Amino acid sequence: MSQTYRHPDLSVDQQHALFTAARRLAEEFTGTFGTETVERFLHTSYDQFAIHGKIPNYLPLLAERFARQRLHALVRVEGHSDGRPVVLFLCVHNAGRSQMALGFFQQLAADRALAWSGGSEFAGEINPAAVASMAERGIDITGEFPKPWTEEIVRAADVVITMGCGDACPVYPGKRYEDWELDDPAGKSVQDVRPIRDEIERRVRRLLDDLGIPAA
């Protein structure tokens, strides 16, 4: 990683993790994006998580994962789509509703479509009740993490599903928008989250039907 994107407040191990992440991403996107673009996306992704007080030891990993998603989105924005539709699920904290919708969509659409999620004020962790209720349906969402949305991610999406983020949700021309009115699972028990989960599944299945994608 170049001098421009060093983070002097980080430990030697964390600096090394960022250097390693930058190298992996540069190799992955060789021929598509230059090193400067890759480092800029990694750097800005890191800063977004650092501002929200994420656990420092995990920041380089989260930054790498989010930067990778953003770079894949940028590929699509620049006109290199593989033809699969992209759905973006947005809510306030990206900890409950949007994560459950993402989990159902990925499970049911398999590799026939892509889905991402984000929040206007993303939380520090996924709602444990949402995790538990999805596990009851055999879907593990513990591998995901709350994250913001960025311009290239919204621009790359074909369908944007909003859930309670109101005016904070981004609006771009040429996108299909749907607003799903759903209770916020924040602070609720697993028992109280189950009806929200089931309603999200019904809506995801209906969305797949609308997109002409058979549910797995």
Side-chain angles (χ1 to χ4, degrees), residues 73-82:
L74 186 59
V75 169
R76 289 177 169 269
V77 170
E78 295 187 348
H80 305 289
S81 172
D82 59 9

Side-chain angles (χ1 to χ4, degrees), residues 86 153-160 170-178 211:
V86 177
I153 286 176
V154 180
R155 289 177 61 197
D158 300 297
V159 181
V160 180
V171 177
Y172 287 81
K175 308 294 177 190
R176 170 181 168 182
Y177 283 88
E178 289 187 20
L211 295 174

Side-chain angles (χ1 to χ4, degrees), residues 91-170:
C91 67
V92 178
H93 302 301
N94 193 215
R97 291 166 291 187
S98 56
Q99 292 288 1
M100 289 190 286
L102 177 66
F104 277 122
F105 192 94
Q106 290 177 329
Q107 176 86 357
L108 296 171
D111 61 355
R112 295 181 290 275
L114 295 177
W116 300 320
S117 68
S120 56
E121 301 174 14
F122 68 101
E125 63 179 4
I126 297 179
N127 185 333
V131 171
S133 69
M134 292 296 287
E136 293 178 345
R137 302 300 301 274
I139 299 176
D140 182 6
I141 61 173
T142 58
E144 290 295 329
F145 57 99
K147 64 189 76 65
W149 61 67
T150 58
E151 180 180 356
E152 67 280 345
I153 286 176
V154 180
R155 289 177 61 197
D158 300 297
V159 181
V160 180
I161 305 295
T162 60
M163 308 175 192
C165 47
D167 293 340
C169 288

Side-chain angles (χ1 to χ4, degrees), residues 7-210:
H7 293 273
D9 56 317
L10 294 186
S11 68
V12 173
D13 287 344
Q14 291 166 334
Q15 286 281 11
H16 177 71
L18 276 178
F19 277 113
T20 303
R23 186 166 58 247
R24 276 195 297 263
L25 290 171
E27 291 174 355
E28 184 175 338
F29 290 92
T30 296
T32 304
F33 299 119
T35 300
E36 182 177 348
T37 298
V38 169
E39 291 188 354
R40 175 166 53 85
F41 272 63
L42 179 63
H43 168 78
T44 55
S45 295
Y46 174 90
D47 286 344
Q48 285 180 300
F49 289 112
I51 290 172
H52 282 73
K54 292 282 187 176
I55 300 173
N57 290 341
Y58 292 105
L59 285 178
L61 175 60
L62 294 179
E64 179 182 359
R65 291 180 61 186
F66 190 44
R68 178 176 289 108
Q69 178 178 309
R70 293 176 61 196
L71 289 165
H72 279 299
L74 186 59
V75 169
R76 289 177 169 269
V77 170
E78 295 187 348
H80 305 289
S81 172
D82 59 9
R84 292 181 294 174
V86 177
V87 176
L88 177 60
F89 296 103
L90 301 178
C91 67
V92 178
H93 302 301
N94 193 215
R97 291 166 291 187
S98 56
Q99 292 288 1
M100 289 190 286
L102 177 66
F104 277 122
F105 192 94
Q106 290 177 329
Q107 176 86 357
L108 296 171
D111 61 355
R112 295 181 290 275
L114 295 177
W116 300 320
S117 68
S120 56
E121 301 174 14
F122 68 101
E125 63 179 4
I126 297 179
N127 185 333
V131 171
S133 69
M134 292 296 287
E136 293 178 345
R137 302 300 301 274
I139 299 176
D140 182 6
I141 61 173
T142 58
E144 290 295 329
F145 57 99
K147 64 189 76 65
W149 61 67
T150 58
E151 180 180 356
E152 67 280 345
I153 286 176
V154 180
R155 289 177 61 197
D158 300 297
V159 181
V160 180
I161 305 295
T162 60
M163 308 175 192
C165 47
D167 293 340
C169 288
V171 177
Y172 287 81
K175 308 294 177 190
R176 170 181 168 182
Y177 283 88
E178 289 187 20
D179 184 58
W180 291 0
E181 293 187 9
L182 299 161
D183 289 340
D184 189 347
K188 290 182 167 57
S189 67
V190 175
Q191 180 177 352
D192 291 334
V193 169
R194 286 175 186 141
I196 303 172
R197 174 203 64 193
D198 294 344
E199 177 60 23
I200 289 173
E201 181 183 8
R202 283 191 288 271
R203 294 184 185 222
V204 168
R205 287 183 178 275
R206 186 169 66 240
L207 174 61
L208 288 170
D209 285 342
D210 291 345

